Amino acid sequence: ASRDMITNMSDTDFLGMKEMNDPNMITAMKFFQILTLCTFIAMQDYFALIVSHMMKLTAQYGICKESCAALACCSFLDGTRDFEASEQLAHFAMILTEKLKAVEYQSQVYCLIYTLQGWRQHIKLSLTPLMKGYGVGMQTGAIEYAMLNMYSYLSHTFFSGQNLVVLERDLKTYMQQMIEYKQASAHHIVSPVRDAVSKLICSTTDCSLRPHE
């Protein structure tokens, strides 16, 4: 119900929502925002439940910086089943992030919105925003989402038909960075992309001529 109420708002009505001022609710939103990361990666059955709670608190008590994350998460959940609602929620997440200057959540917002870009628009259009999400995350300390942005960037680069040799070099650079920052989950999920790129290059060139590392 909260999701439907917000989705059906106009930009004016949405941006005119009161700001959350109950300290207990703000604390709850901050706690739920932290949980969105671990549930998104490892406990996805709980991810939707937490996002639903955040949307309910936003509808009932008003908008806050953490509402940006909630909207982006909800957009992600709708991304493969209700494109129109997903687009609207993504739009609200973006304009609210700008209004509240919620730069600390910008990397999460970009990751969740543009990871599914290819379902709605040409996948190449996601590359610049995903790289921006990576950069902002590294600058603000949101390392987990920075690396998830980079995973999506590398996989979208692969699926959009970019130069494989350049992509292989980028994979080496960023996967090493994932190791350095102890981002095992991102490193694990990007490994199949690296393997596919390596096999495709070997299928069209003499692998014996490639340098051994």
Side-chain angles (χ1 to χ4, degrees):
S2 301
R3 170 261 198 197
D4 292 339
M5 184 196 81
I6 292 174
T7 301
N8 291 323
M9 286 182 171
S10 66
D11 285 9
T12 301
D13 289 339
F14 175 72
L15 292 175
M17 289 180 67
K18 66 179 181 180
E19 292 197 23
M20 190 178 292
N21 54 26
D22 185 324
N24 292 326
M25 296 302 105
I26 293 174
T27 299
M29 288 288 284
K30 289 181 181 295
F31 177 67
F32 285 140
Q33 188 278 327
I34 294 171
L35 290 180
T36 58
L37 175 61
C38 57
T39 55
F40 176 69
I41 293 174
M43 304 175 68
Q44 294 185 359
D45 289 345
Y46 294 98
F47 180 65
L49 181 62
I50 290 169
V51 173
S52 178
H53 280 307
M54 294 181 77
M55 293 293 287
K56 182 177 180 180
L57 291 178
T58 295
Q60 187 172 352
Y61 294 95
I63 54 176
C64 62
K65 287 187 174 182
E66 290 69 30
S67 299
C68 304
L71 290 160
C73 289
C74 199
S75 173
F76 180 88
L77 288 170
D78 279 338
T80 58
R81 61 191 181 196
D82 189 338
F83 292 165
E84 186 175 346
S86 180
E87 281 283 314
Q88 182 73 341
L89 291 165
H91 171 65
F92 284 159
M94 295 292 284
I95 62 175
L96 187 62
T97 300
E98 182 177 350
K99 175 184 177 179
L100 300 182
K101 296 179 170 58
V103 66
E104 62 266 47
Y105 299 128
Q106 193 172 24
S107 186
Q108 180 181 9
V109 168
Y110 273 61
C111 175
L112 291 165
I113 289 174
Y114 290 102
T115 290
L116 292 184
Q117 179 82 39
W119 289 86
R120 301 186 293 263
Q121 300 178 35
H122 197 290
I123 198 168
K124 284 185 178 180
L125 297 176
S126 69
L127 297 179
T128 297
L130 286 168
M131 181 58 80
K132 180 177 180 179
Y134 161 78
V136 171
M138 295 301 290
Q139 291 171 4
T140 60
I143 304 300
E144 295 88 351
Y145 279 110
M147 295 306 176
L148 289 173
N149 271 288
M150 182 48 60
Y151 155 70
S152 292
Y153 173 85
L154 293 168
S155 60
H156 287 196
T157 298
F158 173 68
F159 287 117
S160 62
Q162 302 298 302
N163 185 287
L164 291 178
V165 175
V166 175
L167 176 56
E168 186 180 42
R169 185 173 64 240
D170 288 345
L171 281 159
K172 179 182 177 182
T173 298
Y174 291 112
M175 290 183 75
Q176 179 59 38
Q177 190 177 57
M178 291 170 184
I179 293 172
E180 292 170 358
Y181 281 90
K182 297 179 172 60
Q183 296 301 307
S185 294
H187 187 275
H188 176 71
I189 59 178
V190 81
S191 293
V193 180
R194 176 200 57 196
D195 295 343
V197 169
S198 180
K199 289 177 181 178
L200 284 170
I201 291 176
C202 279
S203 71
T204 57
T205 61
D206 185 352
C207 289
S208 66
L209 300 178
R210 297 175 66 189
H212 294 285
E213 300 174 359

